[in-house]
Amino acid sequence: MTDWLTVERGEAPLVVALPHAGTDLVDVEGAFRSPEVARRDADWWVDRLYGFAGDLGATMVRTGVSRSVIDVNRDPSGASLYPGMATTELCPTTTFDGEALYPGDGPDEAEIARRRERWFDPYHAALAGEIARLRARHGRVVVYDAHSIRSHVPRLFEGELPLFNIGTFDGVSCSAELAEAVRAVCVGSSHVVDGRFKGGWTTRHYGAPERGIHAIQMELAMRGYLDEGAGWPPVFDAGRAAGTIAVLREVLGGCLRFAEGSG
């Protein structure tokens, strides 16, 4: 564990990754046009939503560094995960709404390389290490990438986002059995499988069902646990979150049953 990277080890065949819950702008805060704007697109309170995961024996890997500094769920080559669609870069230059993060052009290639070496690479070294550790002990391991986003982001998608957005990279990153186990838990709420969000770099890079590693992403609409219209940064609403947490507990339970071969 470092001051920005946290690994909480469990022994169950489940790794929960939290790539976007951080808001730390580290040593580049002064480069942003507005630190407040640079923190806006965090996956607010996702770490609190999954606070129960350790009790299930899951391993948690979390970075405290803001995605505006470097997005550890993007292709490190800079290639878009969604060609032809609006998205943000490895080192974003705009918010989800298209608002400029920097007064000028943003980080140059040398600065992007520095950020990758300083934060991206160690995060993925830790994540890969935990996956390998658990895979050596279990026949199957589930990598669960935990995210959230505002329910309405017109630049990224039309209308209101379903509450539970399950990503499997169109069935490539995990078995259909796991995808169905997660989907079945969400049937009582608005949900979609491989809709606007099919899974980011983590899901696509680590998912290898043929090698016993099944990766799946969950993108939550924030209205499931906070009041999106009550100002920003948002306040966690424990009452509103209770139902969402209950579903998420069942989702992770389904992931574990699958990994343990009893799904």
Side-chain angles (χ1 to χ4, degrees):
M1 185 175 74
T2 71
D3 58 346
W4 64 270
L5 177 63
T6 303
V7 177
E8 298 177 7
R9 281 186 164 178
E11 300 305 322
L14 174 63
V15 179
V16 177
L18 300 164
H20 293 154
T23 58
D24 191 352
L25 301 178
V26 290
D27 63 4
V28 298
E29 180 171 348
F32 291 108
R33 185 176 61 81
S34 163
E36 180 182 0
V37 172
R39 293 185 173 99
R40 179 172 176 79
D41 291 333
D43 292 3
W44 291 96
W45 304 113
V46 166
D47 51 340
R48 185 166 175 178
L49 280 179
Y50 290 95
F52 65 86
D55 296 337
L56 301 179
T59 292
M60 309 282 284
V61 180
R62 178 185 185 276
T63 172
V65 176
S66 168
R67 68 185 303 158
S68 292
V69 175
I70 188 163
D71 190 335
V72 297
N73 197 39
R74 290 291 181 269
D75 188 326
S77 74
S80 175
L81 296 176
Y82 296 98
M85 303 177 71
T87 187
T88 51
E89 310 99 319
L90 179 64
C91 291
T93 56
T94 64
T95 67
F96 290 159
D97 295 319
E99 188 174 359
L101 286 172
Y102 297 91
D105 294 333
D108 58 19
E109 290 186 8
E111 173 61 10
I112 291 171
R114 183 189 76 87
R115 295 184 194 183
R116 178 178 171 182
E117 181 179 7
R118 177 67 180 84
W119 295 294
F120 186 103
D121 292 347
Y123 172 82
H124 282 283
L127 184 55
E130 294 307 307
I131 294 169
R133 176 180 69 87
L134 293 171
R135 180 61 184 84
R137 302 180 183 186
H138 300 279
R140 292 189 290 198
V141 171
V142 172
V143 180
Y144 181 96
D145 206 33
H147 297 265
S148 72
I149 193 170
R150 286 174 284 143
S151 299
H152 297 269
V153 187
R155 178 170 172 258
L156 299 185
F157 52 84
E158 295 182 358
E160 183 175 77
L161 195 70
L163 189 56
F164 296 97
N165 298 266
I166 304 158
T168 72
F169 194 27
D170 288 327
V172 174
S173 68
C174 70
S175 78
E177 181 185 353
L178 175 60
E180 176 56 24
V182 173
R183 189 202 67 79
V185 175
C186 301
V187 293
S189 304
S190 63
H191 68 282
V192 68
V193 178
D194 292 318
R196 172 60 179 87
F197 299 100
K198 298 178 184 293
W201 171 251
T202 300
T203 305
R204 303 180 193 200
H205 180 66
Y206 293 105
E210 71 281 0
R211 294 193 288 110
I213 303 171
H214 299 258
I216 192 165
Q217 177 176 296
M218 178 66 80
E219 186 89 50
L220 295 171
M222 288 184 179
R223 68 181 182 278
Y225 63 96
L226 56 83
D227 182 352
E228 296 183 27
W232 221 257
V235 176
F236 188 86
D237 184 334
R240 186 182 297 218
T244 299
I245 291 172
V247 173
L248 295 177
R249 185 180 289 273
E250 289 300 313
V251 164
L252 292 194
C255 290
L256 278 172
R257 287 190 294 275
F258 166 79
E260 292 166 349
S262 57

